[in-house]
């Protein structure tokens, strides 16, 4: 059985238009996958050996060999939804969070290449209420420190993605290595 991630996200948005955290999002999506595919086994924060180190997948479906990585990136929002109060924090540091999302994609691509029991499919889902992730920048974004990591609509990403040479060591700390994407990615944003 294949996983229809777009349909799952659409269905999830009907019952849960807002999430408190990435863990809340992860749990709700895993629960929906279980309801949709009851014969599937679901593992959260599953340890996987890749490139000589252990990585943790947000959601792993071992029978189908499907890996899912999630990001829940927020800007300030305080509101009630269906009688439940939400107080989302302003996470900012979009450049670092873009890098981390592309790192998730790189990890998923690498999982497909491992020799013993590779992943058959992988999905990276970025859920955000911050339009800075999907809107085309109005300024000269090509000259920013994180131009290679931009995720806005219809922006193509492939090959080596790295920080601009002038990016500060503090910005890159723990994220110095370039991201190498094997496939061209076209960011398609849709309201769900």
């Amino acid at each position: 059985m294949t996983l229809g991630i777009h349909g799952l996200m659409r269905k999830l948005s009907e019952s849960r238009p807002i999430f408190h955290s990435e863990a809340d999002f992860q749990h709700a999506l895993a629960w929906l996958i279980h309801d949709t595919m009851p014969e599937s086994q679901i593992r959260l924060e599953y340890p996987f050996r890749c490139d000589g180190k252990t990585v943790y997948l947000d959601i792993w479906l071992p029978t189908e060999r499907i890996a899912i990585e999630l990001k829940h990136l927020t800007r300030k929002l305080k509101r009630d939804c269906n009688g439940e109060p939400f107080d989302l924090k302003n996470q900012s540091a979009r450049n670092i969070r873009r890098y981390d999302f592309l790192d998730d994609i790189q990890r998923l691509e690498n999982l497909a290449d491992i020799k013993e029991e590779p992943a058959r499919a992988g999905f990276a889902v970025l859920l955000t209420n911050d339009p800075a992730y999907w809107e085309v920048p109005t300024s000269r974004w090509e000259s920013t420190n994180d131009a290679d990591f931009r995720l806005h609509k219809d922006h193509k990403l492939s090959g080596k993605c790295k920080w601009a040479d002038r990016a500060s060591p503090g910005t890159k700390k723990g994220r110095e290595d370039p991201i190498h994407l094997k496939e061209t990615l076209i960011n398609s944003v849709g309201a769900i």
Side-chain angles (χ1 to χ4, degrees), residues 77-130:
L77 177 69
K78 192 169 187 169
R79 72 179 326 180
D80 278 15
C81 183
N82 299 325
E84 184 175 357
F86 289 85
D87 188 6
L88 303 181
K89 306 298 180 215
N90 189 20
Q91 294 180 335
S92 63
R94 294 177 191 106
N95 54 354
I96 292 169
R97 300 193 191 294
R98 287 182 187 108
Y99 177 99
D100 291 345
F101 182 64
L102 294 183
D103 191 43
D104 284 352
I105 294 170
Q106 176 181 248
R107 182 180 313 113
L108 291 171
E109 288 182 343
N110 290 342
L111 289 176
D113 291 340
I114 61 174
K115 292 181 178 157
E116 293 181 21
E117 301 187 69
R120 290 188 193 126
F123 299 95
V125 179
L126 189 155
L127 184 64
T128 184
N129 67 329
D130 187 345

Side-chain angles (χ1 to χ4, degrees), residues 23-42:
D24 184 26
F25 174 37
Q26 178 188 37
H27 179 263
L29 181 57
W31 191 282
L32 180 59
I33 293 169
H34 171 72
D35 283 349
T36 306
M37 302 166 59
E39 71 289 347
S40 180
Q41 299 175 24
I42 300 170

Side-chain angles (χ1 to χ4, degrees), residues 19 25 39 57 61 71-73 100 126 148 165 168 170 184:
F19 296 91
F25 174 37
E39 71 289 347
L57 297 173
L61 308 177
K71 287 285 184 264
H72 181 256
L73 308 178
D100 291 345
L126 189 155
D148 283 2
D165 292 338
S168 74
T184 299

